[in-house]
Amino acid sequence: MKWYPWLRPAYEQLVANHQAGRGHHALLVHALPGMGDDALIYAISRWLMCQQPDGQKSCGKCRACQLMQAQTHPDYYLPEPEKGKAALGIDAVREVTEKLYDRARLGGAKVVWLKDAEQLTEAAANALLKTLEEPPENTWFMLGCRNPDRLPATLRSRCLYWHLSPPEDRWSEAWLARECDAPQPQRIAALRLTGGAPAAALALLQQAAWPQRQGLAEHLEQAVNNRDALMLLPDLHHDDVSMRLHWLAALLLDALKCGQGAGAYITHVDLIAHSQLLAASLSVSTLQSMLTMLLRCREQLASVAGLNRELMLTELLLNWEQVWRNGSPLPHAHF
């Protein structure tokens, strides 16, 4: 598992808490995708499991370290949803928690790692809550999450909340410059599109779809000039529609920023000319209406199963055309 330099301060502080006897039995790590929270949790788990830790480092030589490296440690539990299911049910949680009350196979710590705590069903979260209230001795829970607000408040209250915040932009950009040869404006754009998470930005820069971002900006400009929004349908109707809608939303926001004299804060810094042209072609109210409709469409596609993606995108683009023709936003009830 790849280690990232920005994880060290969090790792050292959390391990120091354990060394001082203040380690919390349940750690909830909140992080953006691409921040390396899985590497952080794994490193802390290895240190807790290690039979001969060297200060804040696991020795890497003891039996526990060897089993952790081989992913076969009998006291290390990673409950996951059943194959084909997105939720982690109560049976999987009960199966793990029942084992926690037995003696540790290696006589040391026991660790339970829930990589995505948001996958817990309500029943599973309640079952876990009972164990968190009275945890077995020398047992540690590690929970990862993207949106803590989606977790039950009772579950959050039993955990030590830790927000793994993105590093400063200059450090992130310097790391990206070492990892790839993308031009600086593209590195900055990738970081801003991923909320400042360096590893996610690197993955974005390496995706085959990344060069198509400029084509999307060009086609949006052409669609506005021709008043033909359906020109964008081939650009958006893909399996990675969420990412493309995210790019498009950022382009509209950039145009709003340019129109308000905040061009220094745009996301697509390498596509600023397109944002300036959009700001000159469309009014602020029109851009706001387009953005509102886009965000609603993206949310529905992401949260409602079974929707016809092509029909949803077509409706979005036709609504844009109506806004362009009318020269004013659609009524709120129409959104």
Side-chain angles (χ1 to χ4, degrees):
M1 192 171 293
K2 187 171 182 179
W3 180 258
Y4 301 105
W6 57 84
L7 299 176
R8 182 151 299 280
Y11 173 81
E12 290 177 348
Q13 185 170 343
L14 289 168
V15 170
N17 288 344
H18 283 282
Q19 290 177 317
R22 300 192 304 270
H24 200 282
H25 69 277
L27 174 66
L28 176 63
V29 179
H30 171 206
L32 290 169
M35 277 299 298
D37 50 312
D38 52 349
L40 174 65
I41 291 176
Y42 175 74
I44 296 172
S45 300
R46 275 195 58 174
W47 184 86
L48 289 169
M49 291 291 202
C50 182
Q51 297 169 332
Q52 300 172 347
D54 179 14
Q56 292 191 333
K57 297 180 180 179
S58 52
C59 70
K61 301 176 182 178
C62 69
R63 180 62 174 161
C65 284
Q66 292 174 351
L67 290 173
M68 285 291 288
Q69 291 171 3
Q71 300 181 1
T72 56
H73 198 298
D75 300 316
Y76 189 53
Y77 304 98
L78 287 85
E80 295 181 344
E82 296 179 13
K83 188 175 181 180
K85 294 186 178 180
L88 183 61
I90 188 172
D91 292 338
V93 171
R94 282 177 174 170
E95 182 180 354
V96 170
T97 53
E98 287 173 1
K99 295 177 181 177
L100 298 178
Y101 291 94
D102 296 333
R103 185 177 181 275
R105 303 285 183 86
L106 267 65
K110 291 168 283 187
V111 173
V112 179
W113 179 11
L114 295 171
K115 291 188 176 183
D116 186 357
E118 296 167 61
Q119 292 179 333
L120 290 166
T121 63
E122 183 178 357
N126 290 333
L128 179 63
L129 182 62
K130 296 178 181 179
T131 307
L132 291 180
E133 290 173 343
E134 298 181 7
E137 185 180 0
N138 203 15
T139 299
W140 312 96
F141 295 86
M142 306 288 172
L143 291 78
C145 73
R146 301 289 179 240
N147 299 290
D149 291 343
R150 295 182 179 179
L151 299 177
T154 50
L155 184 63
R156 297 199 308 269
S157 67
R158 301 301 190 276
C159 301
L160 170 65
Y161 172 81
W162 187 276
H163 180 224
L164 187 60
S165 57
E168 294 182 22
D169 290 346
R170 58 194 181 102
W171 298 119
S172 298
E173 191 188 333
W175 180 83
L176 272 179
R178 293 194 299 269
E179 297 291 325
C180 70
D181 57 1
Q184 184 186 38
Q186 290 194 23
R187 297 198 302 268
I188 296 174
L191 279 170
R192 293 182 179 179
L193 283 167
T194 55
L202 178 61
L204 184 58
L205 288 166
Q206 294 174 338
Q207 284 188 15
W210 176 251
Q212 298 173 20
R213 185 178 55 101
Q214 182 170 352
L216 178 62
E218 293 172 352
H219 294 161
L220 174 60
E221 184 182 330
Q222 294 169 9
V224 171
N225 290 336
N226 297 328
R227 292 299 190 260
D228 182 8
L230 289 177
M231 291 175 58
L232 291 168
L233 187 58
D235 294 281
L236 300 177
H237 187 32
H238 286 268
D239 290 338
D240 57 358
V241 61
S242 180
M243 179 178 68
R244 292 170 186 253
L245 288 175
H246 178 51
W247 293 349
L248 193 55
L251 283 167
L252 295 176
L253 275 172
D254 287 348
L256 285 167
K257 292 172 185 176
C258 287
Q260 299 298 316
Y265 302 98
I266 69 172
T267 297
H268 298 281
V269 295
D270 56 330
L271 303 176
I272 188 169
H274 297 285
S275 301
Q276 291 170 338
L277 286 171
L278 284 173
S281 303
L282 299 170
S283 67
V284 170
S285 60
T286 297
L287 287 168
Q288 289 175 335
S289 296
M290 292 170 62
L291 182 60
T292 299
M293 288 185 277
L294 186 153
L295 295 177
R296 289 177 183 273
C297 177
R298 187 181 68 175
E299 177 64 22
Q300 288 177 329
L301 287 173
S303 59
V304 182
L307 288 180
N308 186 308
R309 182 176 63 203
E310 185 175 10
L311 288 179
M312 292 292 297
L313 293 172
T314 300
E315 181 184 24
L316 167 67
L317 298 176
L318 289 175
N319 284 338
W320 279 9
E321 287 188 6
Q322 186 173 346
V323 171
W324 296 344
R325 286 195 303 270
N326 294 343
S328 60
L330 291 173
H332 181 79
H334 188 88
F335 293 161

